[in-house]
């Protein structure tokens, strides 16, 4: 009986003390996806990537159109072509298709690698800014992943603005 009353007393004390401790805590939330889309350094990184890979993307599109034209020609005229001509065109199509697939795969791999490098740099800067805001405004915890966060604790706009100011 004595143990039960001690447990009830401890639970009551925790129930009374917990809200008081929570009232003193400051919690913030940052929508990292939004920061990576809207922050000035992220936008600049995206523009750099587009400019860097623009020429290769255009070459891939041109190669894709050539491949499509060759395929349409084979489908349209394949039955009326001489056997040797048809085989030669099919071989040419297969070679071009293999080259296209390889270049497309290399393009994606290079783009993903560069994107990861750029985004890592932006994320590092964003985390430094979040830490500065947390220290300056006396936050105890700032979350980046949450199922729900009240707009009252959302500091994403502050982070985006601070990133824009710190070129």
């Amino acid at each position: 009986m004595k143990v039960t009353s001690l447990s009830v007393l401890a639970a009551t004390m925790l129930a009374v003390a917990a809200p008081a401790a929570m009232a003193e805590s400051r919690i913030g939330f940052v929508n990292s996806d939004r920061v990576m889309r809207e922050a000035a350094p992220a936008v600049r990184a995206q523009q750099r990537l587009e400019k860097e890979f623009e020429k290769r993307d255009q070459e891939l599109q041109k190669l894709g159109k050539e491949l499509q034209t060759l395929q349409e020609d084979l489908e349209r005229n394949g039955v009326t072509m001489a056997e040797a001509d048809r085989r030669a065109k099919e071989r040419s199509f297969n070679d071009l298709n293999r080259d296209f697939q390889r270049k497309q795969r290399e393009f994606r791999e290079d783009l993903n690698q560069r994107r990861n490098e750029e985004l890592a740099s932006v994320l590092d800067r964003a985390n430094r800014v979040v830490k500065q805001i947390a220290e300056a405004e006396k936050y105890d915890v700032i979350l980046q992943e949450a199922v729900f966060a009240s707009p009252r604790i959302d500091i994403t706009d502050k982070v985006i603005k601070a990133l824009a100011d710190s070129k």
Side-chain angles (χ1 to χ4, degrees), residues 53-114:
F53 286 89
E54 180 180 29
K55 185 177 178 187
R56 283 177 64 186
D57 186 42
Q58 289 172 352
E59 289 172 4
L60 271 175
Q61 288 178 13
K62 181 181 174 190
L63 196 58
K65 286 179 184 173
E66 286 178 36
L67 197 58
Q68 186 176 7
T69 303
L70 194 55
Q71 182 180 13
E72 289 170 356
D73 186 41
L74 266 171
E75 289 173 355
R76 190 174 39 251
N77 302 326
V79 279
T80 60
M81 285 182 178
E83 183 70 20
D85 290 342
R86 187 177 51 75
R87 281 193 195 147
K89 270 222 190 240
E90 286 174 347
R91 192 174 307 113
S92 175
F93 172 79
N94 289 332
D95 291 344
L96 188 61
N97 188 33
R98 192 172 25 260
D99 188 43
F100 176 73
Q101 300 280 336
R102 180 184 51 78
K103 286 181 179 182
Q104 194 174 41
R105 184 180 60 250
E106 289 172 356
F107 175 81
R108 277 194 312 265
E109 289 171 357
D110 292 347
L111 178 62
N112 286 335
Q113 180 180 356
R114 284 288 296 125

Side-chain angles (χ1 to χ4, degrees), residues 110-123:
D110 292 347
L111 178 62
N112 286 335
Q113 180 180 356
R114 284 288 296 125
R115 180 181 292 130
N116 289 341
E117 291 169 0
E118 290 286 343
L119 293 181
S121 171
V122 172
L123 187 60

